[in-house]
């Protein structure tokens, strides 16, 4: 019944091109392309996933239940949190969004790039995040990111040339054209909801595995860096990377993420209580094309807009439910504290 009442939904598809700085052995390809649809991450959480993956490959008998699997993730995550294995990530990774370099926060231990607003088994990181560079509650001295020393240089990915810095990131902004500054402000505004069909990726910074745990239970917010349609990441040393749950160790390289032309066509479960109206609309549009009432391109445009509106409606309902749950939790904690004070 769920399949019968399901409606068509669109999902952007992305590819990551890996340009290695070191030549591989003869006979092996220097560049590689990996597809993904959900998420990609570098740093702390990818390292924990890689450690669990290696343990599973070497000792598969140690993974015999879902609870044990989660336990291993928790143990490796706690170990990495204590060691702060990726504390140097801001110095070892360079991020560029739509041709503009985005400074990485000093406390960043992991970068997460989302196509869908779901991570860690369903946690909406973007919805629970705050804009890092525009946050009034954020550290004022780091509003524009980390500062660089005079004489430092940075790479322009598109031109392939090395350019000299003149000091802080604010001075770089001052040297840009007005259109470039507006584009940067648009990238870091982070004022649009996450969508799997808008042709944009959501870039998030996390302070470590402990920070991820806090976000999961609603005690902290993710750091939203930017939204863009193309991402380039330069790895200055090897780092743990994962795509859709597949982790590996990546050598020095440049990672370029771009959207594929055609999105994936998915079946989405109908909204509860919708009585299958979404499916009826999809069938109606298909009927109209088959009977030459509308053209194929009109059908595709209407279907895309219909899918977007349903996604917006589903997101709003989910956000209302989350607000209700967290409000109840806060009221419970407040009432318990009040009783303890009275006692």
């Amino acid at each position: 019944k769920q399949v019968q009442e399901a409606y068509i939904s669109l999902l952007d598809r992305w590819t990551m091109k890996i340009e290695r700085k070191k030549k591989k052995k003869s006979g092996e390809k220097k560049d590689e392309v990996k597809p993904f649809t959900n998420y990609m991450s570098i740093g702390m959480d990818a390292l924990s996933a890689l450690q669990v993956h290696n343990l599973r490959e070497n000792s598969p008998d140690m993974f015999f239940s879902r609870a044990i699997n989660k336990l291993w993730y928790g143990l490796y995550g706690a170990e990495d949190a204590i060691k702060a294995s990726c504390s140097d990530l801001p110095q070892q990774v360079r991020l560029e969004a739509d041709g503009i370099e985005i400074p990485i926060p000093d406390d960043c231990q992991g970068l997460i790039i989302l196509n869908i607003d779901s991570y860690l088994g369903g946690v909406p990181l973007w919805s629970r995040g705050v804009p890092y560079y525009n946050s009034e509650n954020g550290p004022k001295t780091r509003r524009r990111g980390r500062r660089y020393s005079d004489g430092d240089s940075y790479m322009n990915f598109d031109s392939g040339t090395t350019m000299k810095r003149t000091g802080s990131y604010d001075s770089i902004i001052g040297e840009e054209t007005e259109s470039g500054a507006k584009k940067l402000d648009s990238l870091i505004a982070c004022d649009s909801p996450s969508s799997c069909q808008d042709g944009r990726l959501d870039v998030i910074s996390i302070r470590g595995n402990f920070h991820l745990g806090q976000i999961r239970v609603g005690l902290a917010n993710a750091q939203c860096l930017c939204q863009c349609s193309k991402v380039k990441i330069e790895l200055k040393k090897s780092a743990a990377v994962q795509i859709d749950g597949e982790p590996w160790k990546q050598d020095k390289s440049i990672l370029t993420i771009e959207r594929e032309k055609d999105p994936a066509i998915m079946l989405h479960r109908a909204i509860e209580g919708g009585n299958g109206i979404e499916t009826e609309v999809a069938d109606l549009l298909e009927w109209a094309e088959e009977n030459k009432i509308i053209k194929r391109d009109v059908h595709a445009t209407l279907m895309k807009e219909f899918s977007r509106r349903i996604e917006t409606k589903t997101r709003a309902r989910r956000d209302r439910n989350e607000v209700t749950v967290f409000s109840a939790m806060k009221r419970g904690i407040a009432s318990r504290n009040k009783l303890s004070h009275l006692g």
Side-chain angles (χ1 to χ4, degrees):
K1 183 180 178 180
Q2 289 183 350
V3 174
Q4 291 177 347
E5 294 183 354
Y7 63 93
I8 292 177
S9 179
L10 303 180
L11 177 66
D12 289 335
R13 297 183 300 149
W14 301 83
T15 56
M16 184 177 75
K17 181 181 179 182
I18 304 173
E19 301 177 59
R20 293 181 174 85
K21 293 186 176 181
K22 290 184 178 181
K23 293 184 179 180
K24 301 184 73 176
K25 297 179 181 179
S26 58
E28 295 183 352
K29 294 182 179 179
K30 180 181 177 182
D31 299 338
E32 185 180 359
V33 176
K34 288 180 175 288
F36 78 95
T37 55
N38 298 328
Y39 61 85
M40 174 262 189
S41 71
I42 299 173
M44 183 71 76
D45 63 318
L47 178 60
S48 299
L50 179 61
Q51 291 171 326
V52 173
H53 172 74
N54 291 336
L55 180 63
R56 184 188 291 113
E57 291 291 315
N58 296 325
S59 305
D61 55 325
M62 299 178 70
F63 294 81
F64 50 85
S65 72
R66 182 177 298 179
I68 295 298
N69 296 351
K70 291 183 178 180
L71 177 62
W72 286 121
Y73 276 104
L75 290 175
Y76 279 115
E79 179 185 4
D80 292 332
I82 295 172
K83 292 181 178 179
S85 309
C86 300
S87 59
D88 63 342
L89 188 72
Q91 289 75 44
Q92 303 302 333
V93 174
R94 180 168 288 136
L95 171 67
E96 185 175 302
D98 291 344
I100 295 180
E101 183 179 351
I102 306 296
I104 300 175
D106 293 335
D107 57 0
C108 174
Q109 295 191 39
L111 284 175
I112 301 175
I113 300 173
L114 299 172
N115 182 39
I116 63 172
D117 193 16
S118 180
Y119 200 71
L120 291 174
V123 178
L125 288 183
W126 189 261
S127 299
R128 295 186 185 178
V130 293
Y132 180 78
Y133 296 113
N134 293 330
S135 176
E136 295 180 358
N137 298 323
K140 301 299 182 183
T141 57
R142 291 186 300 170
R143 181 183 174 92
R144 287 293 189 178
R146 69 184 189 275
R147 296 186 177 272
Y148 303 87
S149 60
D150 291 336
D152 194 8
S153 61
Y154 68 99
M155 174 67 72
N156 185 302
F157 286 101
D158 293 327
S159 63
T161 58
T162 301
M163 304 181 69
K164 189 175 182 180
R165 298 189 188 279
T166 58
S168 70
Y169 178 68
D170 297 297
S171 63
I172 298 174
I173 298 301
E175 293 175 358
E176 291 180 342
T177 62
E178 183 179 355
S179 60
K182 288 182 179 179
K183 184 177 181 180
L184 174 65
D185 290 338
S186 176
L187 288 172
I188 65 176
C190 302
D191 54 358
S192 299
S194 178
S195 173
C196 64
Q197 52 187 319
D198 62 351
R200 294 196 297 175
L201 293 167
D202 309 320
V203 183
I204 287 175
S205 168
I206 58 170
R207 298 190 296 271
N209 287 332
F210 184 68
H211 183 209
L212 272 179
Q214 289 179 310
I215 298 173
R216 184 179 182 88
V217 298
L219 297 178
N221 301 105
Q223 298 173 328
C224 301
L225 298 185
C226 63
Q227 290 177 303
C228 57
S229 57
K230 181 179 180 180
V231 175
K232 285 189 177 182
I233 300 173
E234 179 186 5
L235 299 180
K236 299 179 183 179
K237 73 171 188 178
S238 60
V241 179
Q242 69 165 334
I243 284 182
D244 291 345
E246 177 190 351
W248 73 92
K249 196 76 169 181
Q250 181 61 51
D251 297 329
K252 293 181 181 180
S253 56
I254 293 179
L255 313 178
T256 304
I257 303 175
E258 294 181 290
R259 187 179 65 155
E260 293 190 16
K261 182 179 179 180
D262 298 321
I265 300 177
M266 314 291 289
L267 282 180
H268 197 289
R269 186 170 60 182
I271 298 176
E272 188 175 351
N275 297 321
I277 187 64
E278 299 88 355
T279 307
E280 290 296 330
V281 172
D283 291 343
L284 177 62
L285 292 175
E286 188 174 349
W287 172 84
E289 182 187 349
E290 290 177 353
N291 288 273
K292 299 182 179 180
I293 299 174
I294 60 175
K295 295 182 179 180
R296 184 180 183 84
D297 57 342
V298 175
H299 180 189
T301 301
L302 291 175
M303 197 65 224
K304 184 176 181 179
E305 177 62 18
F306 173 70
S307 179
R308 185 192 66 79
R309 294 192 180 194
I310 291 295
E311 182 188 32
T312 302
K313 185 176 180 180
T314 303
R315 184 193 307 116
R317 187 180 71 257
R318 183 192 66 189
D319 292 342
R320 285 195 302 269
N321 292 338
E322 285 190 358
V323 170
T324 302
V325 171
F326 284 113
S327 298
M329 291 175 60
K330 291 179 180 178
R331 286 196 300 268
I333 294 173
S335 61
R336 186 173 61 180
N337 292 338
K338 184 177 181 180
L339 290 174
S340 63
H341 286 307
L342 292 176

